[in-house]
Each structure stands twice: as structure tokens, then as C-alpha cells.
Amino acid sequence: MAPCVLRVRAVLVAAVLALAAACATPSAPAPAAREAPVLRVGTSGDYPPFTLMREDGQVSGFDAALLEAYAAERGYRLEWVRFHWPGLVADLTAHRFDLAASGLTLRPERSLVGRYTVPVARNGALVLLRRPAWAPAPASPEAPLATLEALDRPEFRLAVNLGGHLERVARAHFRHARILAIPGNAVREALVSGQADALLTNTVEGPRWAEGLTGIEQVGPFTQDTVALYVEASRAELAADLDTWLLAQEASGALARWRETYLGEGAREATATPVDALLVATAERLALMPRVAEAKRRAGVPLEVPEQEARVLEAARRGVHQAARALGLPAPSDESITAFFQAQMDAARQVQARAPRTEGPAESLEALRAALARISARIATLVPRVPGGLAPDALKRQSRAQLAASGLTPGECDRLAEALAALGPAR
């Protein structure tokens, strides 16, 4: 056989053997793409303009836009989990989702089991009324509570969403009326059909529900409510990161644009600022104080426990300094930190002293202290962010407005405002 033929055959044999070897040897797997971590968000999906879930599971609205932007920036993949309002707290404690977002109002029973973020919006309770023939003439628009009191009769039928914040508002303000608690937020239909004389909504949802209806009066608002995201209790890092992100969105103007787009022009008011967030956290603490008072009574614990207060003050100073270091900000002086938290505790003691005794089950003092510790942790991260040079008089007016429902006197509100104004980087 010619040498050239042998060389060609040898090359072909080598090529075939190489191909066979390549086919027989498994190639090293390509590195798998890293999956984005999942952030499970609970929503009722029935509360536009905050959230609305379509049949395909897609969610739209203010809270959805907010969390989609957060997830995109932080690298999360959102997974929406539907809840029903009466089961919100149980679902959160069962770890069905990491946080809930559906226009959620701050309420003390929710603070007991979860963590609120800094506030994202404000609204107020509002009645849409088709006035019955028996009803007296409306009171002054500046006195909505007088109108509600005149309507509170057994023949008055008021529709409200089952299991949400507004059902509690309805039962607190209407002791004699017939309250129709309707599931799935199908409340407007009850008014349209004549099943109800009025419905209870809020200043964000109400104007949309009033569109196309005739002979309707708006009564209120008669509450001042704060809306925030609601995080599972064990997810402290997630709650803190959401706070940081929300504060940045407020500072940039993005949060105000989302509020205007989804909630309307009247919702542009800033909420996620250090001062607003501190006053909201103060109100959240004070809302738990009647429960603390009852728990102390039942446990035989005195109203004032100096050792516990000393521990709280020490933890507060330590938490503020740790937060300041993490943020790269100067901490306020220890004197101003102590004065601010002492004002918080003094105000809390005043609310406890005035709280009436209650019957029925009560929370344990340990559970209440755990909830207060979660709120205090948020306060500690906000204190280093407080700017210097706050005007005390303006802050007093703001404090009185935001703490009006806490049971404090104007003078007690002013003392808190003075302590807040004194915070700021140490000079």
C-alpha cells in the first residue's frame, strides 16, 4: 500500500478515535445560572388602587409597583400569595409569605405578631351615604362624628369589608347600627343594590367608588390612618432593608410619584421621612400601651419598673450608635438619645395610667415586650437619620396631629416634639 494512503488512513483512524472518545466522555456541565431569591408577598388582591389580582395571578396597583421596583433593584423574584382579610395575621404567623402588601393600616393587634415598615401612605375612614328618609339633616362638614352619631340607630345599615381595619372602625363608631360585614370587599355592590344605606371606605378608595353614583354624600374623613408594608416578625433584615429603600425613594421623589399615579393627587404628602416615620413608630408604641397596662395588672407588675426602663434606655443608646455606624452617620449625643427615649417611656406610662380595665383574654407581658422591642429597633435606625435644625413649633404641630389618637395631652405631645427636635448629629 502506498505510503500516502497509509498516512491518510492513519489520520482518519485518529479522527474517528478522537470523536468516539469525545462522545464517550461526558462534558463538564456548564455552571448553572444563579436563581434569583424568591420574595413571597401576601396580598388580598381585592383592594384597588393598592392591589388588584387578575385571574392570571398578576397583581397591579400602588403596592405592586412599589414592590416590583424594590425586587428589581435588590434582585428578588416576586411570588404573590393571596390571603383573605380575616386570616391575614394567621397567614403571616404561619409563614405563608415574607411580607404583606395590600394598603395595610397600622393596627396594634398586627404589631403584636409582625413588623411594620416606615409609612408609605396616609388615608382616613370615609362614609359614602345615601341618606335615609328618617335621617336628620347633616351636621357641619367639619364635624363628621356628629353626623355618624345621629345615624347610629338600629335601622341604619352600614356595609364594610369583612375582617379588615375598617370593620373595626365601623364597630368602634357604630354601636347600634346594623353592620353588614361583606367578604371579598364587595361593599360597593351592597350600596348600589340598596342592601345598605351606606358603606365605610377610605379617602383613597372612596372617590373611585363614588364615581357614577347619584344621591351620595361623603361623610368624613373621621380618622387618620397610616399605611405601611407588613413584614414577618423573624425577617428583621428584610424589614430594615425595606425601610432603607423606602426612605431613599421618598428622598428622591419616586415614592411621591407612585402615590400620585396610583392613589391620586391628594396622597402626595410625604410619609417615609425620618421625622414622620419616628412619629408613626411612636404612635404604634403608644397604641400598645393599654394592652401593656392590662398585662401588668394581671401579672401584678407595677406601672413603673425602673430596672426595665434602665435596660430599655441602655439598649436604645446601644442601638442608635450601632445604626449610626452602619449608616456611616454621626450619632446624636447620648444626652439627647436618653432624653428622647425617656420622653417616649414617660408618654407610654401616662397612657397606661389612663387605660381602663378590660375583660376577656389578654396578651402576655412577654409578647408585648417583644413587639415593643421590634418597634424600638426601627426607632433606633431612624434616630441617626434625623436632620439637625428642626423647627420646634412646626414639629409640635405635627406631633399633635399625628399623635392625636394616642391619648396624650397637647403638653405631652409637645414634650415628645421637643425631644425629637433636639436629636441630630452631635456638635
Side-chain angles (χ1 to χ4, degrees), residues 299-322:
V301 175
L303 197 63
E304 187 173 355
V305 185
E307 299 83 2
Q308 174 66 15
E309 292 191 0
R311 286 192 291 270
V312 170
L313 286 174
E314 178 57 33
R317 287 189 290 267
R318 186 169 58 250
V320 170
H321 282 284
Q322 288 173 348

Side-chain angles (χ1 to χ4, degrees), residues 104-155:
L104 284 160
T105 305
L106 270 72
R107 292 200 57 86
E109 69 275 6
R110 294 173 181 169
S111 300
L112 277 167
V113 297
R115 296 175 182 269
Y116 280 110
T117 65
V118 296
V120 297
R122 287 194 181 90
N123 59 30
L126 182 76
V127 169
L128 297 185
L129 169 68
R130 181 174 287 119
R131 185 173 292 274
W134 55 261
S140 165
E142 288 74 35
L145 292 178
T147 298
L148 302 185
E149 185 177 350
L151 292 169
D152 190 16
R153 293 165 51 166
E155 56 266 42

Side-chain angles (χ1 to χ4, degrees), residues 229-290:
L229 306 177
Y230 184 45
V231 184
E232 201 269 317
S234 67
R235 300 297 304 273
E237 290 184 4
L238 173 62
D241 189 54
L242 280 163
D243 284 343
T244 296
W245 186 82
L246 289 167
L247 289 161
Q249 303 312 302
E250 190 74 89
S252 72
L255 191 50
R257 289 191 292 274
W258 279 315
R259 282 194 293 263
E260 183 178 6
T261 298
Y262 290 96
L263 308 183
E265 178 66 28
R268 279 188 62 90
E269 179 187 3
T271 58
T273 70
V275 170
D276 279 286
L278 273 172
L279 288 173
V280 166
T282 299
E284 186 183 356
R285 288 186 86 255
L286 292 174
L288 289 171
M289 289 306 128

Side-chain angles (χ1 to χ4, degrees), residues 174-240:
F174 293 90
R175 301 300 180 116
H176 306 289
R178 182 184 172 197
I179 294 174
L180 309 175
I182 299 174
N185 209 24
V187 177
R188 186 179 186 272
E189 292 81 351
L191 181 62
V192 171
S193 68
Q195 180 186 358
D197 302 304
L199 61 82
L200 186 59
T201 178
N202 60 46
T203 49
V204 172
E205 183 182 55
R208 291 167 170 80
W209 279 6
E211 290 176 2
L213 300 182
T214 57
I216 297 296
E217 300 172 35
Q218 295 189 18
V219 182
F222 55 92
T223 65
Q224 294 187 38
D225 299 322
T226 300
V227 175
L229 306 177
Y230 184 45
V231 184
E232 201 269 317
S234 67
R235 300 297 304 273
E237 290 184 4
L238 173 62

Side-chain angles (χ1 to χ4, degrees), residues 43-61:
T43 182
S44 67
D46 62 1
Y47 193 20
F50 288 101
T51 61
L52 181 63
M53 181 178 281
R54 300 195 301 264
E55 289 185 2
D56 61 1
Q58 295 298 306
V59 179
S60 60

